[in-house]
Each structure stands twice: as C-alpha cells, then as structure tokens.
Amino acid sequence: MEGMNKLRIWGYHHAHGNPRTLFFSALLLLLVLAIISCCNQPPLPSDNYEHSSSSASSLSSSSPSPPPPPRYPSIGLPRECDISQGEWVRDPDAPYYTNQTCFTIQEHQNCMKYGRPDMDFLKWRWRPAACELPRFDAAWFLELVRGKSLAFVGDSLARNHMQSLMCLLSKVEYPKDISDTTDENFKRMFYTAYNFTISTFWSPFLVKAQEADTDGPNHTGLWNLYLDEVDDNWASPIREFDYVIVSDGNWFTRPAMFYEKGELVGCHFCLVDNVTDLTLRYSHRMAFRTALRAITELDGFGGKVFLRTVSPSHFENGEWNKGGNCVRTRPFRGNETRLEGLDLEFYEAQMEEFREAERVGRAKGVELKMLDTTGAMLLRPDGHPSRYGHWAHENVTLYNDCVHWCLPGPIDMWNTLLFLMLGE
C-alpha cells in the first residue's frame, strides 16, 4: 500500500506536464502495477507436486493405509538351532534383577541376601548350538500372555521356576496375590494390567499320594503312591488354563509303596518282605505316563502343555545327607561332564513318555511341547544355593542345597526358553 500511495503522489505532480512526458509516465505506472500484481500472486504448484498430490488423493480414496508393523513380531530361530545343547557364555549385562528388585524370592534361594561371596555365577547366558537366543523381554512376554493363564505343576523346583518368572516380569509389573488359600504350595498371582494369571500347584509325585509313615526306612518318610490315579489337586483346576508346565523328579527317591487298580504291586526301598522292589524308576515313569494321559484325556482342555525335563543336582564329595556340597564357581564346559546315572534314566523316561503323549495329544487336538533344560542345567554346578540359603550363624538343620537354584541365577534361562516357545 505504501508503494501505491507514492505512485499516486508522483502521478499527481506530473499530471499537467507535456504529452510526451505523460505518455511515458502512464506507461511506467502500468509496468509498476503489473510487477506488483505479479509478485502478490501465490506460486503455482509444480508438475511434480500436482502429480504426487493427485496420486496420494487417489490412493487414500481407493484403499486404506497399510497397518503399522506389530510391536512384537513372532520369534524365529534357524531350523538347525538345537536349544537343548550348547554352552554357557559370558554375559556382562547380567543379572537383570536382584533380590532388592524382586520380592518373590524364597529365603533358601536368596543367595545374595545370605552372603554368597562370589557373584560370577550370575554373569553367564545360554548359547545353543548354531544360534543365539533373544534376551528375555518382560513387556513382550506379558503381551504374548495378555488375557491368558499359566500353571506350574510339580514339586519345589516348579515353584522355583514360577518365582524366577515373576522376578523377570517385575521389571514391568508386580503381581497381586489373589490366592484363595494361605498355603504357599498353591499360589495364584494376577497381573492386573495384562489380565494374566500365574498359579502353582504342589504335586511332588503328580499322582495321588499319601504319607503312610513320617519316618520310614531311611527317615525321609514312606509314601503310598497310586500310580494309575492322577493327583486331582492339579488335574481338575488346569482345565481352565491356557498353558501348563509339568515337571517333577526329586521326590521319587523317597521310599514308597506302589498301588495300581487299588492293589499293591511293588515298592521302592520299602524293605517289606514279599513285596517286590520295582525301584524308583518304575514309579517315576508310571507317574509321568498317568499325568500326561490325564491331560490329553481331559474333557474341554484346549491349552498348551510343556513338559520341563529333569533338573540335575550337583552334590560332590558325599550324598545330600552325608556332607555333599556344590562349591564350584563357574559352569562346566560341554566336554567336562556328561549326563549319567539316575538323571540320565529319568531324562530318557520323560522323553519316551512325552513322545507317546504327544502322539495321542495330536490326535485329540492337545498340543504338547518339550521344555528341554536338562543339558543346559547339567553344566551349572555353580548355580545352587549350597549353604547360602540361611545365615551362617543360624542354628538350623538344613543340608547343603544342590537341588534348587539361586535367584537370580541359571534357572532364569528356563523362562527365556519359555518366552521363545510362546512366541513361535
């Protein structure tokens, strides 16, 4: 506007000049007005802009935008990857929780609290043959199980497994205890934000069992085992679960009387005349056969079943009740030990019973998976509590614990494998 006013003033002062001057003045005025008009026009879009705008408009009107990629894609490993065989390798980032960040660690597995001097046993991770495992991702795991339920069935190692999982998940959420009993052997924990439930069912023999004598032949009790009758304390409730992890082993070493169809058929170390000692191998195999058959024949069960294989103990220089201990401070290499003795027999029996149950389950629409942790745990003599499950000055009657696993510790690898198998 300021430019237009100056032109008007300039034109007024020259309006009465000679005709030639007026002509050129008018011509100059028109030229200036044209330049001003041109400069005030918005720029025209380029050909490219018109084309891309038209294409985008056409695309949006003809088809919806593609969905964003999933936050948690499925986990895939090479076909040749054998997660049951491998080596423990250094992991400087471990551990991923401590006894200060996780409240679910039982006292006798709280090795940090009770003064274990070496912490190097925490600095390892499992590397299977021909592949690398993804690290456990708590948020990803909880997304995989959102709205679902998971049951651990077995002995105290099943509870050890459950507590490891809760510690790993504590990075994202602490569960709420919604158990309907004060019995620590039957816990039910709820993750509110994910509508996810974890439960544990105590069943040290998997089948119906009654303690007949609290002392028994070797002062560890004498049990009546009904090897063809599943323990209904877990068999009925698991009908409603999406995932069930079955594991067992250590309790079969206790003296027991064996019953089938209500009749005494033999025993293990019962020292009773005219009763055949069928050994603990018989009861262990029959219990797993009965348990897996009960699951595959359970009406209305549509969940996925994992059989976690035997967890080797590492007593050295004596048996558990004769001064045996586990004081090593590093993992074995693969060529330094091998599975043998009772652990090997238990493992082979579990594999055989699993394959048969898997065949039957496939025909009935029940999915069974093998959670094979035996090879990895065989190499971890350094991961047990030993005497670091209580204060050294406490007057307690506890044997060195070379059966359970420190938390945090090697047992966390079980949940890395579970995470992997749930995400397949």
Side-chain angles (χ1 to χ4, degrees):
M1 289 300 294
E2 182 180 356
M4 290 295 294
N5 290 335
K6 287 180 178 179
L7 285 172
R8 290 191 186 101
I9 294 169
W10 182 85
Y12 176 80
H13 286 303
H14 294 81
H16 296 89
N18 63 51
R20 192 179 187 87
T21 302
L22 287 175
F23 172 78
F24 283 107
S25 297
L27 185 62
L28 180 59
L29 178 62
L30 290 174
L31 180 60
V32 171
L33 289 173
I35 292 173
I36 293 173
S37 175
C38 177
C39 292
N40 286 337
Q41 292 296 319
L44 291 174
S46 67
D47 288 342
N48 288 338
Y49 177 87
E50 288 181 320
H51 177 75
S52 61
S53 175
S54 173
S55 298
S57 175
S58 173
L59 180 63
S60 62
S61 62
S62 62
S63 61
S65 300
R71 182 183 176 194
Y72 299 111
S74 61
I75 307 168
L77 288 178
R79 185 177 297 274
E80 65 273 14
C81 178
D82 182 358
I83 62 175
S84 68
Q85 300 297 319
E87 297 278 359
W88 290 90
V89 297
R90 287 285 181 179
D91 184 3
D93 296 330
Y96 298 94
Y97 64 91
T98 71
N99 63 332
Q100 298 296 319
T101 63
C102 180
F103 69 90
T104 63
I105 302 175
Q106 281 192 290
E107 292 297 283
H108 56 279
Q109 283 131 40
N110 199 338
C111 305
M112 286 182 166
K113 174 180 176 179
Y114 290 110
R116 176 165 174 159
D118 68 295
M119 291 292 111
D120 190 63
F121 77 99
L122 298 173
K123 298 294 186 179
W124 301 86
R125 64 181 174 85
W126 179 242
R127 176 186 284 168
C131 66
E132 292 279 352
L133 290 182
R135 296 188 186 276
F136 185 93
D137 187 312
W140 191 341
F141 185 97
L142 286 166
E143 285 294 345
L144 290 172
V145 296
R146 182 183 288 275
K148 299 184 183 298
S149 54
L150 168 63
F152 291 87
V153 175
D155 55 19
S156 54
L157 279 170
R159 187 169 63 241
N160 204 179
H161 188 180
M162 172 181 171
Q163 290 158 352
S164 164
L165 178 58
M166 290 192 292
C167 284
L168 288 165
L169 295 179
S170 66
K171 189 175 280 190
V172 173
E173 184 179 349
Y174 287 104
K176 179 181 179 181
D177 190 338
I178 58 171
S179 308
D180 53 9
T181 175
T182 58
D183 189 343
E184 290 294 318
N185 291 319
F186 295 89
K187 300 293 289 183
R188 190 173 176 216
M189 311 297 287
F190 184 63
Y191 290 81
T192 307
Y194 293 87
N195 189 27
F196 170 55
T197 305
I198 298 180
S199 299
T200 183
F201 295 92
W202 170 256
S203 186
F205 297 103
L206 300 179
V207 294
K208 181 180 174 182
Q210 296 173 341
E211 190 170 21
D213 184 349
T214 57
D215 188 30
N218 64 356
H219 311 296
T220 60
L222 177 67
W223 290 80
N224 292 334
L225 302 185
Y226 301 87
L227 297 177
D228 56 349
E229 298 180 46
V230 71
D231 180 3
D232 201 52
N233 286 323
W234 68 265
S236 292
I238 63 124
R239 186 191 312 271
E240 305 301 325
F241 281 81
D242 298 287
Y243 306 109
V244 179
I245 301 177
V246 178
S247 60
D248 231 330
N250 294 304
W251 279 65
F252 292 95
T253 60
R254 286 165 168 76
M257 312 293 288
F258 303 156
Y259 292 85
E260 294 179 23
K261 297 181 180 178
E263 300 292 332
L264 181 64
V265 296
C267 74
H268 163 57
F269 198 69
C270 62
L271 305 182
V272 176
D273 292 338
N274 301 320
V275 177
T276 303
D277 194 328
L278 297 176
T279 80
L280 71 170
R281 296 159 185 81
Y282 182 83
S283 57
H284 173 266
R285 179 184 289 274
M286 293 304 297
F288 270 92
R289 180 176 299 177
T290 297
L292 294 175
R293 181 181 297 158
I295 293 172
T296 57
E297 294 178 354
L298 192 60
D299 290 338
F301 178 70
K304 181 183 292 187
V305 182
F306 297 88
L307 171 58
R308 185 186 56 73
T309 56
V310 63
S311 173
S313 59
H314 292 93
F315 290 101
E316 295 185 78
N317 301 316
E319 297 177 20
W320 65 274
N321 58 348
K322 296 180 180 178
N325 205 350
C326 39
V327 296
R328 294 181 184 267
T329 57
R330 69 166 182 86
F332 285 130
R333 299 288 297 175
N335 59 359
E336 291 180 317
T337 188
R338 63 180 181 179
L339 193 65
E340 56 188 4
L342 187 60
D343 286 333
L344 176 60
E345 293 179 90
F346 275 10
Y347 177 75
E348 291 178 338
Q350 287 176 339
M351 296 292 285
E352 291 167 7
E353 295 303 321
F354 170 80
R355 292 190 190 104
E356 176 60 20
E358 183 185 33
R359 183 189 64 80
V360 174
R362 189 182 303 116
K364 296 186 176 183
V366 178
E367 186 175 3
L368 287 89
K369 294 281 189 178
M370 177 70 74
L371 190 58
D372 192 344
T373 61
T374 301
M377 305 316 287
L378 175 67
L379 303 182
R380 292 309 306 267
D382 58 324
H384 300 287
S386 179
R387 68 179 182 85
Y388 298 105
H390 58 90
W391 296 116
H393 63 269
E394 284 184 296
N395 184 20
V396 292
T397 304
L398 287 176
Y399 298 100
N400 296 320
D401 188 351
C402 302
V403 173
H404 301 94
W405 300 93
C406 294
L407 292 177
I411 190 177
D412 294 326
M413 169 274 226
W414 298 1
N415 289 307
T416 298
L417 295 187
L418 179 62
F419 168 56
L420 172 67
M421 296 174 77
L422 289 178
E424 288 179 327

